[in-house]
Amino acid sequence: MTQNHTPANTPASPSADAKSPQARKPNAGKSPDSLTPDVKIAHGWLHTARFLTTAPQLEHLPALDVPEVAFVGRSNAGKSTCINTLTQQKRLAFASKTPGRTQSINLFSLGKQGITDAVLADLPGYGYAAVPREAKLRWQRVMGNYLLTRENLKGVVLLIDPRLGLTELDEILLEVIRPRVEEGLKFLVLLTKSDKLNHAEAQKALSIARLQSGGGEARLFSALKKKGLDEVAQMLWRWTHEDGPAVAAPVAEPEPEDEPPALD
């Protein structure tokens, strides 16, 4: 009769009863390429995005165990358009008629059958001139604290208009998150509205962004031309699934009319 022998130096396999995501991380140790999903899977997953909650202050954010990816950037960098394009939804993230006025962190849950396995965080746009100085300073502190202390934050997407390049406020944000990026936080500089540039201009902007990304990545993106859409969708899926499945119970969602506008 054939018998299975466990080498003396090999630890015993975990019990079949260890079914929690924390106990089992089937994807741990795998290379990023082995975790890259089919494009259709990534897009289908992003299409499940739905409004979860809004938080005017950090203490109003729910404590979550699932991976969270934050979208940040200056007002008018194209943040709402980017989120709506990635999720294939026209009105998931709203752009305020007066950029800079809406100052809340909006969360969107991702996952099939109403089960949340990841969250997108839409942070208010910054740098809009019409916002009072006190409000600007308050939100700089809120955003800084969020980026430094949010425990389940897995990645940050910084949206930049390549025609303007990295501004002083963008550089401040880079300095804030640099320690966490060095510790493993995923980071992407997304050059939106790249259709406004010719090929040479786009490649130059991309090269500069890669140098300035502080250990992160950089990609060209155009909601109009759907440029970079597949790459970013796959990247977000990979960021939030590389440690194996992690899910939260279904969360009661507010009625659509309760959804606040997000900033662009």
Side-chain angles (χ1 to χ4, degrees):
M1 182 175 65
T2 303
Q3 294 182 348
N4 294 327
H5 296 281
T6 301
N9 295 329
T10 303
S13 300
S15 167
D17 294 332
K19 296 181 179 181
S20 69
Q22 290 75 19
R24 297 183 297 116
K25 292 187 177 181
N27 294 327
K30 292 187 178 181
S31 66
D33 289 341
S34 68
L35 293 176
T36 300
D38 181 83
V39 171
K40 291 183 179 179
I41 292 176
H43 284 309
W45 171 71
L46 282 170
H47 189 53
T48 66
R50 52 207 178 272
F51 176 74
L52 179 60
T53 190
T54 186
Q57 297 287 350
L58 291 183
E59 56 265 29
H60 297 146
L61 282 173
L64 299 172
D65 293 327
V66 296
E68 191 162 299
V69 176
F71 284 72
V72 299
R74 285 178 57 87
S75 298
N76 295 330
K79 185 159 50 64
S80 295
T81 300
C82 176
I83 292 173
N84 288 337
T85 302
L86 286 169
T87 59
Q88 306 153 65
Q89 300 185 42
K90 292 182 179 180
R91 295 176 60 81
L92 182 68
F94 288 80
S96 173
K97 293 181 180 179
T98 306
R101 290 300 184 189
T102 304
Q103 297 182 341
S104 294
I105 297 174
N106 298 321
L107 300 184
F108 307 104
S109 59
L110 293 164
K112 295 183 177 180
Q113 299 178 341
I115 297 177
T116 299
D117 64 15
V119 169
L120 300 182
D122 180 15
L123 273 63
Y126 51 83
Y128 191 67
V131 177
R133 184 173 182 274
E134 290 184 2
K136 288 182 183 178
L137 293 175
R138 182 179 72 84
W139 264 102
Q140 285 176 19
R141 290 191 294 269
V142 170
M143 290 177 63
N145 288 334
Y146 167 86
L147 294 170
L148 287 174
T149 64
R150 186 68 169 164
E151 293 184 0
N152 65 318
L153 185 63
K154 187 70 173 180
V156 174
V157 179
L158 172 60
L159 291 92
I160 301 289
D161 185 333
R163 297 169 297 177
L164 301 177
L166 214 63
T167 67
E168 181 180 359
L169 290 174
D170 296 321
E171 291 175 353
I172 292 173
L173 184 142
L174 276 174
E175 288 302 313
V176 168
I177 68 170
R178 192 179 304 277
R180 292 197 70 175
V181 174
E182 293 174 350
E183 293 171 358
L185 179 73
K186 307 298 184 183
F187 181 58
L188 171 65
V189 176
L190 201 59
L191 302 177
T192 60
K193 308 178 184 181
S194 63
D195 54 280
K196 305 293 184 181
L197 306 177
N198 60 38
H199 179 74
E201 292 170 336
Q203 292 307 308
K204 180 180 179 180
L206 183 59
S207 297
I208 294 173
R210 283 172 174 163
L211 291 174
Q212 297 173 323
S213 64
E217 302 183 60
R219 292 285 188 278
L220 294 168
F221 187 86
S222 169
L224 181 64
K225 301 293 185 180
K226 301 297 186 289
K227 183 179 181 63
L229 188 60
D230 291 348
E231 287 180 283
V232 176
Q234 290 175 308
M235 185 179 296
L236 295 178
W237 190 97
R238 190 170 65 242
W239 284 4
T240 54
H241 290 76
E242 64 180 6
D243 290 332
V247 296
V251 179
E253 301 173 4
E255 296 298 322
E257 60 267 25
D258 293 333
E259 298 182 12
L263 275 195
D264 222 2

